[in-house]
Amino acid sequence: KKAVQWHNGQKEARIAEAARQGAQVLDKLPTHPEIQELALAMLYLGEGAKTNSTTLASSDARIARFFVSSLQTLYDVPTEKIRCHLHLRSDQDPEELVRYWSKTLKLPRENFGKPLIDKRTVRSKTYDHYKGVCSISCGRVAIQRRLMYIANGFCDELAKPICQRG
């Protein structure tokens, strides 16, 4: 029991230290639109659709809010041009989750298409905290191309010193 308490205490200390270090980095960052666009580009490189539209899907409400907010702030995408589709498990209530995502993203119900239900999940229980995957699209391929160019260029630029050594 003492070992478990000691390990738990050590973990709490490591978590607190990570939070402190993260706050220090955030305090040093300027709050310029270019920083927001770079962050969006890197997120899009990892999570965005690489097809001919600007689309990102996530089950993380924070990521989805950041994506929607950035589309509106950086590119003046009107609310009515942002479309959402939910991908849900069979035991989830589609209307309840449309309300959840609509409120979370501050988008009207009309922006949501018919939720898609994964039939493979029949007879399996979904965790209460899981709200499905929200796929968000604004359809403007120019934004997707710009984000990919920024992200790829940033990665290439930072990788130059490593490539030059090898």
Side-chain angles (χ1 to χ4, degrees):
K1 287 182 181 182
K2 285 184 180 183
V4 169
Q5 289 174 337
W6 183 85
H7 283 289
N8 288 344
Q10 293 296 304
K11 181 179 179 181
E12 287 176 21
R14 289 190 302 272
I15 291 170
E17 177 60 15
R20 187 189 66 73
Q21 290 174 356
Q24 284 180 333
V25 170
L26 291 173
D27 287 343
K28 292 176 186 176
L29 287 177
T31 54
H32 296 297
E34 295 84 6
I35 299 292
Q36 182 180 3
E37 189 169 28
L38 177 60
L40 179 63
M42 297 307 292
L43 173 65
Y44 199 87
L45 178 64
E47 299 295 327
K50 311 308 186 279
T51 57
N52 291 327
S53 71
T54 303
T55 303
L56 182 132
S58 184
S59 62
D60 187 318
R62 183 178 290 129
I63 288 173
R65 277 193 307 266
F66 174 73
F67 184 64
V68 169
S69 172
S70 295
L71 290 176
Q72 293 171 326
T73 303
L74 297 169
Y75 308 112
D76 295 320
V77 175
T79 298
E80 62 271 10
K81 295 292 184 183
I82 299 173
R83 304 292 304 154
C84 300
H85 288 89
L86 300 183
H87 300 263
L88 307 175
R89 295 174 52 88
S90 62
D91 64 338
Q92 292 181 297
D93 180 347
E95 280 308 310
E96 176 186 327
L97 290 170
V98 167
R99 283 191 302 274
Y100 165 81
W101 284 104
S102 175
K103 181 179 177 184
T104 298
L105 300 177
K106 296 180 176 46
L107 294 173
R109 169 67 178 94
E110 298 77 43
N111 290 40
F112 288 78
K114 183 179 178 188
L116 302 170
I117 309 296
D118 185 350
K119 303 293 184 208
R120 299 170 300 172
T121 61
V122 172
R123 291 187 290 276
S124 63
K125 178 79 173 107
T126 301
Y127 293 113
D128 291 337
H129 67 274
Y130 182 72
K131 306 297 184 191
V133 173
C134 185
S135 177
I136 306 160
S137 178
C138 75
R140 289 173 46 187
V141 69
I143 295 172
Q144 184 255 2
R145 289 178 182 148
R146 178 181 171 104
L147 291 172
M148 293 303 296
Y149 182 79
I150 291 167
N152 288 324
F154 185 74
C155 288
D156 291 346
E157 190 63 32
L158 289 184
K160 277 183 185 178
I162 295 169
C163 294
Q164 291 169 350
R165 286 190 301 225

